[in-house]
Amino acid sequence: MKRAALVLVLASALLLAGQNALAQNALAQNAAVPKPHPAHALPAAALQAMKSIDAEKIRATVKFLSDDSLEGRGTGQKGGDAAADWIAAQFKSYGLAPAGDDGTYFQSVGFYGVTTDGGKTQFAFVPKAGAEMPLKFADDYVATDMTHADKSEIDAPIVFVGYGINAPEYKWDDYKGVDLKGKAVLMLVNEPPSDDPNFFKGRALTYYGRWTYKYEEAARRGAVAVILVHKTEMASYPWEVVRNSWGGESSLLQNDKDPKLQSAGWVQLEVARKLAASAGQDLDQMLKDANTRTFKPVDLGVRLKETIVSKVRPFASRNVVGKVKGSDSKLAGQAVVYSAHYDHLGIHPNEPGDNIYNGAADNATGCGILLELARAFASAKEKPKRSIFFASVTAEEQGLLGSRYLGQHPPVPAKDISLDLNYDDIQPFGEPLQLVVSGAERTTVFPLVEAMAKDFDMAIQPDDHPEAGHYYRSDHFSMARVGVPAFSVNEGPLFRGHDLAWGEEKERDYVTHRYHQPSDEYRAEMDFTADAKLAKFGLILGWHVANQPELVGWQPGDEFERARKASQQGKPK
């Protein structure tokens, strides 16, 4: 109780300071107000609510949530719990109704926290001939025991399975019926490269390219370990991101009954090169071979010998969910959802120097937007027809686990949720002239999105890096998996007053020097015009969707259309 009180006192002080910091962004805020097209008319209350969105309030939220006192908002850590308490307190102060468990703002999610003991864990490649190759945790490899055992012993042959993908719709099967029970598999991140939109969607990464799919598929086939080869251009992030993301505690859902790996890990590219050489193979040739349909798994004749020792603790973390009830008695049981994750990577106590992963951009910015949207909707004199839910979810950094739970336990049935708009890592670089809404084109709401983008003086920018698979890397994906039309709202690299190269360099600098690093901290020079503009865009779009006669759907043939239809028919997805 004392900790919660201290957090709320600090919160009030920081919010007051942020709200009084003020006027320098007033002109920019006015520039972000759209000129609505006559066909897009909304009640005056909606436009008033939109105009009330304040970049300085978003700043204050980001400053508070990324403060060292929140210790990086780690899942199941005291800083993460404090963040959830604080967000719930804001929801209550705005007048949102609780939409969690038992009349509270919280959905309790059970986890196992698993931390690999790098000092006690042993990981080595043992070739048929030649010396054993011991690896160093964090420098050469990372691994997590997803069975949440205190100790697991692995002595298994290593089989190279290319990309580890079985995709019948693309006539692609890396496994070719090979029995993997009790074996370790070496595989590549990403998926076969192509510019053909009918083959793994061309340059755009599908779920088959994500590490989560690869672990899931290998476990289903009986493998005990997966070793992903890290290559920066294929993963779309450097080794430091892998090390920092996997070097601390990992969270696993307690109620997950799917098969699990004893060792889910990554190795550096040069380590994989040495492994291949010890097997008499050339890694570059292996990579080339993996890009063909005729590829067959290769038994390397090398064994993985691993003793993985973990510290395991059961704990509960919480999603925070609030509600603004719809004004139409017939439609209030349906909903529009706004979401943003509040967790980050927490504090890594064994690291020297600055070991707090503050997560200012990722994702205190999304929380700042979510809270402003909640405040604006709650204070509107007239409410939309459908109900509006605001979900700040936990454990995104652990593999979208909080939103996965939300999707499996939605506040209203998934069939009744028209749209989920998600906010994640919105860089405070100024006023954006481009809008990134990857995945919106897959839904029936896209024509409205296009029209609203013009109203807000933003050109819709195709994903600059479709090969990174951003659609499958944020919380809207969890909602899409249960059939809910969903996508994230973000900015492109073109900002008012700057050329495109300026924005692209800003993004490169962030990914290189701050993304998933302790340096992702609040800075006074941050310009939250972007965050406010995207919040206003989201408010207007969401209000329109909440008032439309029909629910949003997926385009015919989309991969999530089946789940939408199943939910509407009351069938399991």
Side-chain angles (χ1 to χ4, degrees), residues 62 66 73 341 344 358-367 397 423-429 490 510 514-515 519-523 526 528 531:
V62 172
S66 60
R73 308 186 306 281
H341 75 91
H344 197 53
N358 302 81
D362 185 13
N363 186 37
T365 56
C367 293
E397 303 290 6
Y423 288 90
D424 190 356
D425 203 346
I426 293 85
Q427 296 295 325
F429 292 158
N490 216 313
Y510 168 72
R514 287 185 292 283
Y515 177 63
S519 49
D520 182 10
E521 298 177 302
Y522 170 79
R523 302 184 310 281
M526 287 175 165
F528 289 90
D531 304 75

PDB file of all heavy atoms in Angstrom, residues 62 66 73 341 344 358-367 397 423-429 490 510 514-515 519-523 526 528 531:
ATOM      1  N   VAL A  62       4.331   9.709 -20.469  1.00  0.00           N
ATOM      2  CA  VAL A  62       5.579   9.065 -20.879  1.00  0.00           C
ATOM      3  C   VAL A  62       6.673   9.334 -19.857  1.00  0.00           C
ATOM      4  O   VAL A  62       7.438   8.435 -19.483  1.00  0.00           O
ATOM      5  CB  VAL A  62       6.000   9.555 -22.282  1.00  0.00           C
ATOM      6  CG1 VAL A  62       7.396   9.039 -22.644  1.00  0.00           C
ATOM      7  CG2 VAL A  62       4.988   9.102 -23.330  1.00  0.00           C
ATOM      8  N   SER A  66       8.212   6.108 -17.734  1.00  0.00           N
ATOM      9  CA  SER A  66       9.594   5.732 -18.040  1.00  0.00           C
ATOM     10  C   SER A  66      10.579   6.220 -16.976  1.00  0.00           C
ATOM     11  O   SER A  66      11.795   6.101 -17.157  1.00  0.00           O
ATOM     12  CB  SER A  66      10.000   6.284 -19.414  1.00  0.00           C
ATOM     13  OG  SER A  66       9.916   7.691 -19.454  1.00  0.00           O
ATOM     14  N   ARG A  73       9.144  -1.295 -15.818  1.00  0.00           N
ATOM     15  CA  ARG A  73       7.810  -1.908 -15.955  1.00  0.00           C
ATOM     16  C   ARG A  73       7.877  -3.377 -16.375  1.00  0.00           C
ATOM     17  O   ARG A  73       7.127  -3.842 -17.239  1.00  0.00           O
ATOM     18  CB  ARG A  73       6.948  -1.114 -16.955  1.00  0.00           C
ATOM     19  CG  ARG A  73       6.868   0.376 -16.676  1.00  0.00           C
ATOM     20  CD  ARG A  73       5.904   1.102 -17.588  1.00  0.00           C
ATOM     21  NE  ARG A  73       6.149   0.887 -19.002  1.00  0.00           N
ATOM     22  CZ  ARG A  73       7.102   1.501 -19.721  1.00  0.00           C
ATOM     23  NH1 ARG A  73       7.893   2.401 -19.137  1.00  0.00           N
ATOM     24  NH2 ARG A  73       7.251   1.251 -21.004  1.00  0.00           N
ATOM     25  N   HIS A 341       0.345  -1.838 -24.927  1.00  0.00           N
ATOM     26  CA  HIS A 341       0.982  -2.563 -23.821  1.00  0.00           C
ATOM     27  C   HIS A 341       1.755  -1.600 -22.927  1.00  0.00           C
ATOM     28  O   HIS A 341       2.349  -0.634 -23.401  1.00  0.00           O
ATOM     29  CB  HIS A 341       1.880  -3.682 -24.345  1.00  0.00           C
ATOM     30  CG  HIS A 341       3.187  -3.254 -24.938  1.00  0.00           C
ATOM     31  ND1 HIS A 341       4.359  -3.147 -24.202  1.00  0.00           N
ATOM     32  CD2 HIS A 341       3.536  -2.939 -26.214  1.00  0.00           C
ATOM     33  CE1 HIS A 341       5.351  -2.787 -24.992  1.00  0.00           C
ATOM     34  NE2 HIS A 341       4.894  -2.651 -26.215  1.00  0.00           N
ATOM     35  N   HIS A 344       7.568  -3.292 -20.228  1.00  0.00           N
ATOM     36  CA  HIS A 344       8.816  -3.279 -20.992  1.00  0.00           C
ATOM     37  C   HIS A 344       9.720  -4.359 -20.402  1.00  0.00           C
ATOM     38  O   HIS A 344       9.227  -5.360 -19.884  1.00  0.00           O
ATOM     39  CB  HIS A 344       9.446  -1.888 -21.012  1.00  0.00           C
ATOM     40  CG  HIS A 344      10.478  -1.739 -22.092  1.00  0.00           C
ATOM     41  ND1 HIS A 344      10.213  -2.030 -23.408  1.00  0.00           N
ATOM     42  CD2 HIS A 344      11.781  -1.354 -22.055  1.00  0.00           C
ATOM     43  CE1 HIS A 344      11.296  -1.821 -24.139  1.00  0.00           C
ATOM     44  NE2 HIS A 344      12.261  -1.428 -23.339  1.00  0.00           N
ATOM     45  N   ASN A 358      13.963   1.453 -19.475  1.00  0.00           N
ATOM     46  CA  ASN A 358      12.866   2.362 -19.158  1.00  0.00           C
ATOM     47  C   ASN A 358      11.699   2.289 -20.136  1.00  0.00           C
ATOM     48  O   ASN A 358      10.549   2.520 -19.758  1.00  0.00           O
ATOM     49  CB  ASN A 358      13.379   3.799 -19.097  1.00  0.00           C
ATOM     50  CG  ASN A 358      14.491   3.970 -18.078  1.00  0.00           C
ATOM     51  OD1 ASN A 358      15.643   3.663 -18.365  1.00  0.00           O
ATOM     52  ND2 ASN A 358      14.157   4.441 -16.891  1.00  0.00           N
ATOM     53  N   GLY A 359      11.965   2.026 -21.408  1.00  0.00           N
ATOM     54  CA  GLY A 359      10.873   1.887 -22.376  1.00  0.00           C
ATOM     55  C   GLY A 359      10.049   3.137 -22.557  1.00  0.00           C
ATOM     56  O   GLY A 359       8.815   3.093 -22.522  1.00  0.00           O
ATOM     57  N   ALA A 360      10.715   4.275 -22.777  1.00  0.00           N
ATOM     58  CA  ALA A 360       9.979   5.526 -22.982  1.00  0.00           C
ATOM     59  C   ALA A 360       9.181   5.474 -24.281  1.00  0.00           C
ATOM     60  O   ALA A 360       7.956   5.680 -24.287  1.00  0.00           O
ATOM     61  CB  ALA A 360      10.948   6.706 -22.983  1.00  0.00           C
ATOM     62  N   ALA A 361       9.869   5.193 -25.387  1.00  0.00           N
ATOM     63  CA  ALA A 361       9.148   5.067 -26.658  1.00  0.00           C
ATOM     64  C   ALA A 361       8.346   3.778 -26.690  1.00  0.00           C
ATOM     65  O   ALA A 361       7.199   3.748 -27.158  1.00  0.00           O
ATOM     66  CB  ALA A 361      10.128   5.130 -27.827  1.00  0.00           C
ATOM     67  N   ASP A 362       8.936   2.712 -26.172  1.00  0.00           N
ATOM     68  CA  ASP A 362       8.365   1.368 -26.236  1.00  0.00           C
ATOM     69  C   ASP A 362       8.014   0.880 -24.839  1.00  0.00           C
ATOM     70  O   ASP A 362       8.836   0.254 -24.187  1.00  0.00           O
ATOM     71  CB  ASP A 362       9.379   0.435 -26.908  1.00  0.00           C
ATOM     72  CG  ASP A 362       8.856  -0.969 -27.154  1.00  0.00           C
ATOM     73  OD1 ASP A 362       7.642  -1.182 -27.038  1.00  0.00           O
ATOM     74  OD2 ASP A 362       9.677  -1.857 -27.460  1.00  0.00           O
ATOM     75  N   ASN A 363       6.820   1.110 -24.310  1.00  0.00           N
ATOM     76  CA  ASN A 363       5.706   1.677 -25.010  1.00  0.00           C
ATOM     77  C   ASN A 363       4.967   2.669 -24.103  1.00  0.00           C
ATOM     78  O   ASN A 363       3.743   2.664 -24.030  1.00  0.00           O
ATOM     79  CB  ASN A 363       4.755   0.572 -25.489  1.00  0.00           C
ATOM     80  CG  ASN A 363       3.633   1.079 -26.352  1.00  0.00           C
ATOM     81  OD1 ASN A 363       3.789   1.982 -27.146  1.00  0.00           O
ATOM     82  ND2 ASN A 363       2.463   0.501 -26.162  1.00  0.00           N
ATOM     83  N   ALA A 364       5.745   3.496 -23.393  1.00  0.00           N
ATOM     84  CA  ALA A 364       5.088   4.561 -22.633  1.00  0.00           C
ATOM     85  C   ALA A 364       4.348   5.497 -23.576  1.00  0.00           C
ATOM     86  O   ALA A 364       3.322   6.079 -23.201  1.00  0.00           O
ATOM     87  CB  ALA A 364       6.111   5.329 -21.796  1.00  0.00           C
ATOM     88  N   THR A 365       4.837   5.639 -24.826  1.00  0.00           N
ATOM     89  CA  THR A 365       4.135   6.502 -25.786  1.00  0.00           C
ATOM     90  C   THR A 365       2.737   5.951 -26.084  1.00  0.00           C
ATOM     91  O   THR A 365       1.756   6.705 -26.097  1.00  0.00           O
ATOM     92  CB  THR A 365       4.926   6.623 -27.093  1.00  0.00           C
ATOM     93  OG1 THR A 365       5.186   5.320 -27.639  1.00  0.00           O
ATOM     94  CG2 THR A 365       6.240   7.355 -26.881  1.00  0.00           C
ATOM     95  N   GLY A 366       2.641   4.655 -26.345  1.00  0.00           N
ATOM     96  CA  GLY A 366       1.333   4.068 -26.613  1.00  0.00           C
ATOM     97  C   GLY A 366       0.392   4.210 -25.436  1.00  0.00           C
ATOM     98  O   GLY A 366      -0.813   4.463 -25.608  1.00  0.00           O
ATOM     99  N   CYS A 367       0.934   4.084 -24.217  1.00  0.00           N
ATOM    100  CA  CYS A 367       0.104   4.268 -23.018  1.00  0.00           C
ATOM    101  C   CYS A 367      -0.378   5.704 -22.903  1.00  0.00           C
ATOM    102  O   CYS A 367      -1.522   5.958 -22.510  1.00  0.00           O
ATOM    103  CB  CYS A 367       0.886   3.872 -21.773  1.00  0.00           C
ATOM    104  SG  CYS A 367       1.254   2.118 -21.666  1.00  0.00           S
ATOM    105  N   GLU A 397       6.212  -7.794 -24.396  1.00  0.00           N
ATOM    106  CA  GLU A 397       7.622  -8.064 -24.685  1.00  0.00           C
ATOM    107  C   GLU A 397       7.981  -9.537 -24.481  1.00  0.00           C
ATOM    108  O   GLU A 397       9.056  -9.982 -24.886  1.00  0.00           O
ATOM    109  CB  GLU A 397       8.525  -7.194 -23.797  1.00  0.00           C
ATOM    110  CG  GLU A 397       8.295  -5.694 -23.921  1.00  0.00           C
ATOM    111  CD  GLU A 397       8.735  -5.115 -25.249  1.00  0.00           C
ATOM    112  OE1 GLU A 397       9.126  -5.900 -26.142  1.00  0.00           O
ATOM    113  OE2 GLU A 397       8.694  -3.894 -25.405  1.00  0.00           O
ATOM    114  N   TYR A 423      -1.747   0.882 -30.334  1.00  0.00           N
ATOM    115  CA  TYR A 423      -0.673   1.882 -30.391  1.00  0.00           C
ATOM    116  C   TYR A 423       0.567   1.306 -29.719  1.00  0.00           C
ATOM    117  O   TYR A 423       0.526   0.875 -28.577  1.00  0.00           O
ATOM    118  CB  TYR A 423      -1.105   3.164 -29.676  1.00  0.00           C
ATOM    119  CG  TYR A 423      -2.140   3.962 -30.433  1.00  0.00           C
ATOM    120  CD1 TYR A 423      -3.502   3.742 -30.231  1.00  0.00           C
ATOM    121  CD2 TYR A 423      -1.758   4.928 -31.355  1.00  0.00           C
ATOM    122  CE1 TYR A 423      -4.460   4.466 -30.929  1.00  0.00           C
ATOM    123  CE2 TYR A 423      -2.707   5.663 -32.056  1.00  0.00           C
ATOM    124  CZ  TYR A 423      -4.054   5.432 -31.833  1.00  0.00           C
ATOM    125  OH  TYR A 423      -4.994   6.152 -32.530  1.00  0.00           O
ATOM    126  N   ASP A 424       1.675   1.342 -30.468  1.00  0.00           N
ATOM    127  CA  ASP A 424       2.905   0.729 -29.964  1.00  0.00           C
ATOM    128  C   ASP A 424       4.116   1.478 -30.520  1.00  0.00           C
ATOM    129  O   ASP A 424       4.330   1.491 -31.737  1.00  0.00           O
ATOM    130  CB  ASP A 424       2.956  -0.743 -30.375  1.00  0.00           C
ATOM    131  CG  ASP A 424       4.076  -1.526 -29.695  1.00  0.00           C
ATOM    132  OD1 ASP A 424       4.869  -0.916 -28.950  1.00  0.00           O
ATOM    133  OD2 ASP A 424       4.142  -2.759 -29.903  1.00  0.00           O
ATOM    134  N   ASP A 425       4.868   2.119 -29.630  1.00  0.00           N
ATOM    135  CA  ASP A 425       6.162   2.702 -29.993  1.00  0.00           C
ATOM    136  C   ASP A 425       6.016   3.803 -31.036  1.00  0.00           C
ATOM    137  O   ASP A 425       6.537   3.708 -32.142  1.00  0.00           O
ATOM    138  CB  ASP A 425       7.093   1.596 -30.504  1.00  0.00           C
ATOM    139  CG  ASP A 425       8.565   1.967 -30.386  1.00  0.00           C
ATOM    140  OD1 ASP A 425       8.873   3.148 -30.169  1.00  0.00           O
ATOM    141  OD2 ASP A 425       9.410   1.059 -30.528  1.00  0.00           O
ATOM    142  N   ILE A 426       5.323   4.875 -30.666  1.00  0.00           N
ATOM    143  CA  ILE A 426       5.120   6.007 -31.568  1.00  0.00           C
ATOM    144  C   ILE A 426       6.175   7.064 -31.247  1.00  0.00           C
ATOM    145  O   ILE A 426       6.126   7.726 -30.203  1.00  0.00           O
ATOM    146  CB  ILE A 426       3.708   6.596 -31.444  1.00  0.00           C
ATOM    147  CG1 ILE A 426       2.668   5.584 -31.943  1.00  0.00           C
ATOM    148  CG2 ILE A 426       3.580   7.863 -32.269  1.00  0.00           C
ATOM    149  CD1 ILE A 426       2.216   4.574 -30.952  1.00  0.00           C
ATOM    150  N   GLN A 427       7.139   7.202 -32.136  1.00  0.00           N
ATOM    151  CA  GLN A 427       8.280   8.073 -31.880  1.00  0.00           C
ATOM    152  C   GLN A 427       7.874   9.538 -31.810  1.00  0.00           C
ATOM    153  O   GLN A 427       7.192  10.042 -32.717  1.00  0.00           O
ATOM    154  CB  GLN A 427       9.329   7.874 -32.968  1.00  0.00           C
ATOM    155  CG  GLN A 427       9.937   6.491 -33.008  1.00  0.00           C
ATOM    156  CD  GLN A 427      10.744   6.192 -31.752  1.00  0.00           C
ATOM    157  OE1 GLN A 427      11.375   7.061 -31.187  1.00  0.00           O
ATOM    158  NE2 GLN A 427      10.724   4.938 -31.338  1.00  0.00           N
ATOM    159  N   PRO A 428       8.279  10.265 -30.770  1.00  0.00           N
ATOM    160  CA  PRO A 428       7.924  11.677 -30.616  1.00  0.00           C
ATOM    161  C   PRO A 428       8.891  12.585 -31.373  1.00  0.00           C
ATOM    162  O   PRO A 428       9.740  13.254 -30.801  1.00  0.00           O
ATOM    163  CB  PRO A 428       8.005  11.885 -29.092  1.00  0.00           C
ATOM    164  CG  PRO A 428       9.000  10.877 -28.628  1.00  0.00           C
ATOM    165  CD  PRO A 428       8.939   9.721 -29.572  1.00  0.00           C
ATOM    166  N   PHE A 429       8.752  12.596 -32.709  1.00  0.00           N
ATOM    167  CA  PHE A 429       9.674  13.319 -33.578  1.00  0.00           C
ATOM    168  C   PHE A 429       9.076  14.593 -34.180  1.00  0.00           C
ATOM    169  O   PHE A 429       9.719  15.258 -34.977  1.00  0.00           O
ATOM    170  CB  PHE A 429      10.109  12.414 -34.745  1.00  0.00           C
ATOM    171  CG  PHE A 429      10.978  11.252 -34.366  1.00  0.00           C
ATOM    172  CD1 PHE A 429      11.052  10.145 -35.195  1.00  0.00           C
ATOM    173  CD2 PHE A 429      11.733  11.246 -33.194  1.00  0.00           C
ATOM    174  CE1 PHE A 429      11.857   9.057 -34.872  1.00  0.00           C
ATOM    175  CE2 PHE A 429      12.530  10.167 -32.855  1.00  0.00           C
ATOM    176  CZ  PHE A 429      12.593   9.066 -33.700  1.00  0.00           C
ATOM    177  N   ASN A 490       0.451   4.034 -36.627  1.00  0.00           N
ATOM    178  CA  ASN A 490       1.776   4.613 -36.394  1.00  0.00           C
ATOM    179  C   ASN A 490       2.085   5.640 -37.468  1.00  0.00           C
ATOM    180  O   ASN A 490       1.278   5.892 -38.361  1.00  0.00           O
ATOM    181  CB  ASN A 490       2.850   3.525 -36.329  1.00  0.00           C
ATOM    182  CG  ASN A 490       3.940   3.838 -35.318  1.00  0.00           C
ATOM    183  OD1 ASN A 490       4.471   4.954 -35.287  1.00  0.00           O
ATOM    184  ND2 ASN A 490       4.290   2.861 -34.487  1.00  0.00           N
ATOM    185  N   TYR A 510      17.306   5.288 -33.624  1.00  0.00           N
ATOM    186  CA  TYR A 510      16.543   4.700 -32.519  1.00  0.00           C
ATOM    187  C   TYR A 510      16.746   3.191 -32.451  1.00  0.00           C
ATOM    188  O   TYR A 510      17.035   2.633 -31.381  1.00  0.00           O
ATOM    189  CB  TYR A 510      15.057   5.029 -32.673  1.00  0.00           C
ATOM    190  CG  TYR A 510      14.172   4.225 -31.752  1.00  0.00           C
ATOM    191  CD1 TYR A 510      14.157   4.477 -30.379  1.00  0.00           C
ATOM    192  CD2 TYR A 510      13.366   3.195 -32.245  1.00  0.00           C
ATOM    193  CE1 TYR A 510      13.354   3.721 -29.531  1.00  0.00           C
ATOM    194  CE2 TYR A 510      12.568   2.444 -31.408  1.00  0.00           C
ATOM    195  CZ  TYR A 510      12.564   2.701 -30.044  1.00  0.00           C
ATOM    196  OH  TYR A 510      11.783   1.948 -29.212  1.00  0.00           O
ATOM    197  N   ARG A 514      18.729   2.726 -29.131  1.00  0.00           N
ATOM    198  CA  ARG A 514      17.797   2.787 -28.009  1.00  0.00           C
ATOM    199  C   ARG A 514      16.797   1.633 -27.934  1.00  0.00           C
ATOM    200  O   ARG A 514      16.366   1.273 -26.842  1.00  0.00           O
ATOM    201  CB  ARG A 514      17.035   4.124 -28.023  1.00  0.00           C
ATOM    202  CG  ARG A 514      17.898   5.296 -27.595  1.00  0.00           C
ATOM    203  CD  ARG A 514      17.108   6.587 -27.494  1.00  0.00           C
ATOM    204  NE  ARG A 514      16.665   7.061 -28.786  1.00  0.00           N
ATOM    205  CZ  ARG A 514      17.443   7.681 -29.663  1.00  0.00           C
ATOM    206  NH1 ARG A 514      18.716   7.885 -29.393  1.00  0.00           N
ATOM    207  NH2 ARG A 514      16.970   8.113 -30.811  1.00  0.00           N
ATOM    208  N   TYR A 515      16.408   1.068 -29.058  1.00  0.00           N
ATOM    209  CA  TYR A 515      15.379   0.027 -29.053  1.00  0.00           C
ATOM    210  C   TYR A 515      15.812  -1.156 -28.183  1.00  0.00           C
ATOM    211  O   TYR A 515      16.877  -1.735 -28.379  1.00  0.00           O
ATOM    212  CB  TYR A 515      15.110  -0.438 -30.486  1.00  0.00           C
ATOM    213  CG  TYR A 515      14.120  -1.573 -30.603  1.00  0.00           C
ATOM    214  CD1 TYR A 515      12.801  -1.424 -30.195  1.00  0.00           C
ATOM    215  CD2 TYR A 515      14.509  -2.794 -31.130  1.00  0.00           C
ATOM    216  CE1 TYR A 515      11.898  -2.457 -30.300  1.00  0.00           C
ATOM    217  CE2 TYR A 515      13.604  -3.849 -31.250  1.00  0.00           C
ATOM    218  CZ  TYR A 515      12.307  -3.669 -30.830  1.00  0.00           C
ATOM    219  OH  TYR A 515      11.410  -4.711 -30.932  1.00  0.00           O
ATOM    220  N   SER A 519      18.882   2.841 -22.847  1.00  0.00           N
ATOM    221  CA  SER A 519      18.895   4.224 -23.338  1.00  0.00           C
ATOM    222  C   SER A 519      17.559   4.691 -23.906  1.00  0.00           C
ATOM    223  O   SER A 519      17.433   5.853 -24.305  1.00  0.00           O
ATOM    224  CB  SER A 519      19.988   4.393 -24.397  1.00  0.00           C
ATOM    225  OG  SER A 519      19.903   3.369 -25.377  1.00  0.00           O
ATOM    226  N   ASP A 520      16.547   3.809 -23.950  1.00  0.00           N
ATOM    227  CA  ASP A 520      15.204   4.244 -24.365  1.00  0.00           C
ATOM    228  C   ASP A 520      14.569   4.970 -23.190  1.00  0.00           C
ATOM    229  O   ASP A 520      13.717   4.441 -22.480  1.00  0.00           O
ATOM    230  CB  ASP A 520      14.366   3.044 -24.814  1.00  0.00           C
ATOM    231  CG  ASP A 520      12.969   3.453 -25.301  1.00  0.00           C
ATOM    232  OD1 ASP A 520      12.726   4.665 -25.473  1.00  0.00           O
ATOM    233  OD2 ASP A 520      12.125   2.551 -25.500  1.00  0.00           O
ATOM    234  N   GLU A 521      14.999   6.211 -22.999  1.00  0.00           N
ATOM    235  CA  GLU A 521      14.602   7.022 -21.854  1.00  0.00           C
ATOM    236  C   GLU A 521      13.888   8.294 -22.312  1.00  0.00           C
ATOM    237  O   GLU A 521      14.049   8.738 -23.453  1.00  0.00           O
ATOM    238  CB  GLU A 521      15.834   7.399 -21.027  1.00  0.00           C
ATOM    239  CG  GLU A 521      16.578   6.201 -20.447  1.00  0.00           C
ATOM    240  CD  GLU A 521      17.834   6.600 -19.689  1.00  0.00           C
ATOM    241  OE1 GLU A 521      18.717   7.246 -20.283  1.00  0.00           O
ATOM    242  OE2 GLU A 521      17.929   6.255 -18.500  1.00  0.00           O
ATOM    243  N   TYR A 522      13.142   8.870 -21.397  1.00  0.00           N
ATOM    244  CA  TYR A 522      12.495  10.162 -21.677  1.00  0.00           C
ATOM    245  C   TYR A 522      13.545  11.251 -21.829  1.00  0.00           C
ATOM    246  O   TYR A 522      14.519  11.319 -21.081  1.00  0.00           O
ATOM    247  CB  TYR A 522      11.541  10.537 -20.548  1.00  0.00           C
ATOM    248  CG  TYR A 522      11.020  11.956 -20.664  1.00  0.00           C
ATOM    249  CD1 TYR A 522       9.992  12.262 -21.552  1.00  0.00           C
ATOM    250  CD2 TYR A 522      11.592  12.994 -19.922  1.00  0.00           C
ATOM    251  CE1 TYR A 522       9.536  13.567 -21.686  1.00  0.00           C
ATOM    252  CE2 TYR A 522      11.137  14.293 -20.040  1.00  0.00           C
ATOM    253  CZ  TYR A 522      10.117  14.573 -20.934  1.00  0.00           C
ATOM    254  OH  TYR A 522       9.677  15.870 -21.065  1.00  0.00           O
ATOM    255  N   ARG A 523      13.336  12.116 -22.826  1.00  0.00           N
ATOM    256  CA  ARG A 523      14.210  13.275 -23.037  1.00  0.00           C
ATOM    257  C   ARG A 523      13.345  14.509 -23.222  1.00  0.00           C
ATOM    258  O   ARG A 523      12.315  14.469 -23.917  1.00  0.00           O
ATOM    259  CB  ARG A 523      15.124  13.079 -24.258  1.00  0.00           C
ATOM    260  CG  ARG A 523      16.001  11.840 -24.160  1.00  0.00           C
ATOM    261  CD  ARG A 523      16.979  11.710 -25.333  1.00  0.00           C
ATOM    262  NE  ARG A 523      16.329  11.849 -26.628  1.00  0.00           N
ATOM    263  CZ  ARG A 523      15.624  10.881 -27.226  1.00  0.00           C
ATOM    264  NH1 ARG A 523      15.453   9.709 -26.613  1.00  0.00           N
ATOM    265  NH2 ARG A 523      15.077  11.075 -28.408  1.00  0.00           N
ATOM    266  N   MET A 526      11.860  15.704 -26.642  1.00  0.00           N
ATOM    267  CA  MET A 526      10.852  14.935 -27.369  1.00  0.00           C
ATOM    268  C   MET A 526       9.664  15.817 -27.741  1.00  0.00           C
ATOM    269  O   MET A 526       9.201  16.628 -26.934  1.00  0.00           O
ATOM    270  CB  MET A 526      10.371  13.752 -26.520  1.00  0.00           C
ATOM    271  CG  MET A 526      11.386  12.628 -26.392  1.00  0.00           C
ATOM    272  SD  MET A 526      10.813  11.321 -25.262  1.00  0.00           S
ATOM    273  CE  MET A 526      11.949   9.989 -25.668  1.00  0.00           C
ATOM    274  N   PHE A 528       5.872  15.597 -28.831  1.00  0.00           N
ATOM    275  CA  PHE A 528       4.760  14.652 -28.828  1.00  0.00           C
ATOM    276  C   PHE A 528       3.612  15.069 -29.745  1.00  0.00           C
ATOM    277  O   PHE A 528       2.491  14.552 -29.626  1.00  0.00           O
ATOM    278  CB  PHE A 528       4.263  14.439 -27.397  1.00  0.00           C
ATOM    279  CG  PHE A 528       5.242  13.663 -26.565  1.00  0.00           C
ATOM    280  CD1 PHE A 528       6.225  14.322 -25.835  1.00  0.00           C
ATOM    281  CD2 PHE A 528       5.222  12.284 -26.548  1.00  0.00           C
ATOM    282  CE1 PHE A 528       7.147  13.613 -25.088  1.00  0.00           C
ATOM    283  CE2 PHE A 528       6.136  11.558 -25.814  1.00  0.00           C
ATOM    284  CZ  PHE A 528       7.107  12.224 -25.080  1.00  0.00           C
ATOM    285  N   ASP A 531       2.297  11.972 -31.454  1.00  0.00           N
ATOM    286  CA  ASP A 531       1.457  11.109 -30.624  1.00  0.00           C
ATOM    287  C   ASP A 531       0.051  11.689 -30.488  1.00  0.00           C
ATOM    288  O   ASP A 531      -0.940  10.952 -30.542  1.00  0.00           O
ATOM    289  CB  ASP A 531       2.113  10.934 -29.258  1.00  0.00           C
ATOM    290  CG  ASP A 531       3.526  10.383 -29.391  1.00  0.00           C
ATOM    291  OD1 ASP A 531       4.429  11.153 -29.778  1.00  0.00           O
ATOM    292  OD2 ASP A 531       3.743   9.198 -29.127  1.00  0.00           O
TER     293      ASP A 531
END
